[in-house]
Amino acid sequence: MEKFDIPYFAGNTASRDLIVGVGSRIRDYFDIQSYDKTIQRFAQADSISMNLQLSIIEGVFTARHALAPSTSPSSNGEGSPEYLSVSNDPPLNYLAIAEQIADDILKAGIYGKDKSVTWLSIDIIPGTGQYQYQPVGPSLYAGQIGIGLFFAALSITSDNKNYKNTALNSVASLLKLLTAKNVDAANVIARDLGIGGCVGLGSLIYGLSVLSRLLNIPAMLEDAIHFRDYRYRSF
């Protein structure tokens, strides 16, 4: 590789051959043509898979045309910010609204065989003003910890047991990393996140601490302490 001797492989959608180098090929290397394989996968796709593919396409186009947030407060035309205006509308059922949001989040989840769950989301690329459609990270502000806290809080006020399970499953991959004592991976997360309280390592420590209290799982507090230790090792 250092001498730029880079292997070259190619294929053709209408052929089972593997093209190696220039003018050479291995006949019938693949079991099926890639075009036929694609048609086969479309035919085997269930509604969950199709909805996921559609959401990815919609998310990519939405991220493409999203605008960076404005730092100036919006106005209702009368000199006062909209969020300070008084409404005469009847009071809202906030719990019902929260449950509707939760149901929408559940439908958008990507579920693993180990019952873990994650999501795809639009997030801004730091320093660019551009958005990208990508898997959520672990943070409190826009990631697994924040979603987990939402479901944990909702599980206390709702009879839906699925909310508590989702709170646990949303942080399952993060906890698995800690229980496996994968120090290198945890240190990488610590360095990448930084020490911020919303999107940094501090948000993980805070989130796990609150999750421990809301779900009555003392072990999560120990996990938060472990992340605190990674913080001191990484900075």
Side-chain angles (χ1 to χ4, degrees):
M1 296 289 286
E2 292 179 352
K3 297 179 181 179
F4 297 101
D5 183 13
I6 301 172
Y8 172 81
F9 302 97
N12 189 301
T13 56
S15 172
R16 293 169 51 197
D17 297 348
L18 175 66
I19 301 171
V20 290
V22 180
S24 300
R25 65 178 60 216
I26 301 175
R27 297 287 181 182
D28 299 327
Y29 181 83
F30 299 106
D31 294 331
I32 187 174
Q33 296 177 8
S34 58
Y35 175 80
D36 293 336
K37 183 65 174 179
T38 301
I39 298 300
Q40 185 183 87
R41 293 191 65 178
F42 273 122
Q44 295 174 345
D46 56 17
S47 59
I48 296 176
S49 177
M50 293 296 288
N51 288 335
L52 174 60
Q53 297 301 322
L54 288 173
S55 69
I56 291 174
I57 294 172
E58 293 173 355
V60 169
F61 277 100
T62 301
R64 171 76 175 174
H65 298 287
L67 299 176
S70 173
T71 57
S72 58
S74 58
S75 173
N76 59 9
E78 299 179 357
S80 61
E82 291 181 357
Y83 55 81
L84 294 180
S85 62
V86 178
S87 173
N88 294 321
D89 295 335
L92 299 175
N93 185 339
Y94 291 106
L95 179 58
I97 295 173
E99 289 179 340
Q100 180 60 57
I101 293 172
D103 291 341
D104 290 341
I105 294 175
L106 287 172
K107 292 176 183 177
I110 301 174
Y111 298 86
K113 294 181 180 180
D114 59 353
K115 296 184 179 181
S116 64
V117 58
T118 189
W119 291 266
L120 295 172
S121 178
I122 296 173
D123 202 1
I124 196 166
I125 304 173
T128 66
Q130 299 294 320
Y131 285 88
Q132 182 170 303
Y133 193 59
Q134 61 190 14
V136 298
S139 74
L140 174 67
Y141 175 73
Q144 295 163 306
I145 289 289
I147 296 173
L149 278 178
F150 170 72
F151 278 102
L154 193 57
S155 70
I156 296 176
T157 58
S158 172
D159 296 329
N160 191 333
K161 295 181 179 180
N162 195 28
Y163 294 155
K164 181 177 181 179
N165 293 335
T166 303
L168 291 170
N169 294 337
S170 65
V171 296
S173 59
L174 191 62
L175 297 180
K176 185 177 180 180
L177 181 148
L178 285 175
T179 55
K181 297 182 179 179
N182 191 334
V183 177
D184 291 336
N187 281 334
V188 168
I189 291 177
R191 287 194 298 269
D192 289 346
L193 289 178
I195 59 175
C198 289
V199 297
L201 189 59
S203 73
L204 303 190
I205 298 172
Y206 170 80
L208 289 173
S209 300
V210 177
L211 277 171
S212 172
R213 178 170 54 84
L214 292 176
L215 300 176
N216 193 25
I217 302 178
M220 280 192 178
L221 184 58
E222 295 298 320
D223 294 326
I225 294 173
H226 286 315
F227 259 122
R228 179 202 63 186
D229 294 339
Y230 287 127
R231 170 188 175 181
Y232 290 118
R233 294 174 192 166
S234 303
F235 299 100

